[in-house]
Amino acid sequence: MNTDAEGRLILADAILHAIRSGARQVIDVATLTGAMGHALGLKVAGIWGDGEYAEQFIEIGERNGDRIWRLPLVDEDEELLCSPYADLANLASNPYGGANMAALFLRRFVDSKVRWCHIDMANTVQIPSTRGYKVTGATGYGVRLLADFVCEQAASNEKIGGRS
């Protein structure tokens, strides 16, 4: 019924596969809901999940231009995941809180021992005019964010391992 909902199924499968393959950290970045543009405009993505990760991504985004804003996982909205036909709904029954509902849906597939963040960057995928290093059109949002995150993780692991 909805491409956002279909994307959630693909992400749920990917999250399960990553965890079954031994991942201890999962970060998903997707153009998951149109609701993000309504909530944050066209220049800032939303993030849910592990607080420490969220803060790290927010700091990275402020430095590199892939801006991101932390949004709460509103547990009371779990009722939006209820369905009379299935174990779990992946499309809200009302037009409100769609981005939170999508994040809650994905969280259902994350093992409690795994650190997880969900980044919904649907509203940031294109810009109407050149701004900074981004030119009119597709932005490539998230590439710099993830690359800088991986670099920080590698540097942190080197310090912990005593090689720095």
Side-chain angles (χ1 to χ4, degrees):
M1 294 180 62
N2 178 297
T3 56
D4 291 345
E6 291 168 5
R8 285 179 209 127
L9 293 176
I10 292 166
L11 278 175
D13 282 343
I15 290 168
L16 286 172
H17 177 72
I19 292 169
R20 289 176 182 155
S21 297
R24 295 185 318 247
Q25 302 176 51
V26 175
I27 298 121
D28 69 80
V29 180
T31 57
L32 201 57
T33 68
M36 286 312 310
H38 296 287
L40 298 177
L42 302 177
K43 298 175 184 155
V44 181
I47 188 168
W48 293 259
D50 183 279
E52 186 178 317
Y53 271 0
E55 290 306 316
Q56 187 175 1
F57 278 110
I58 290 166
E59 289 173 16
I60 292 168
E62 287 300 317
R63 287 193 309 264
N64 73 16
D66 279 355
R67 297 189 67 207
I68 195 163
W69 188 263
R70 184 154 188 220
L71 294 161
L73 278 165
V74 181
D75 290 326
E76 292 83 6
D77 282 348
E78 284 274 339
E79 65 189 29
L80 295 173
L81 302 176
C82 295
S83 168
Y85 310 107
D87 294 335
L88 190 61
N90 68 343
L91 184 62
S93 57
N94 69 55
Y96 306 108
N100 182 62
M101 183 267 187
L104 288 168
F105 176 82
L106 293 175
R107 182 177 71 173
R108 289 279 189 104
F109 298 91
V110 179
D111 185 290
S112 62
K113 297 175 188 146
V114 173
R115 295 183 76 191
W116 165 76
C117 272
H118 162 62
I119 300 170
D120 188 338
M121 45 74 80
N123 53 313
T124 63
V125 297
Q126 292 193 14
I127 58 170
S129 61
T130 298
R131 185 176 71 236
Y133 70 89
K134 297 175 182 174
V135 296
T136 303
T139 64
Y141 179 94
V143 174
R144 289 167 54 110
L145 192 66
L146 291 173
D148 289 351
F149 174 79
V150 168
C151 289
E152 282 189 13
Q153 291 290 294
S156 177
N157 288 342
E158 277 188 23
K159 288 179 184 175
I160 291 169
R163 292 178 274 183
S164 179

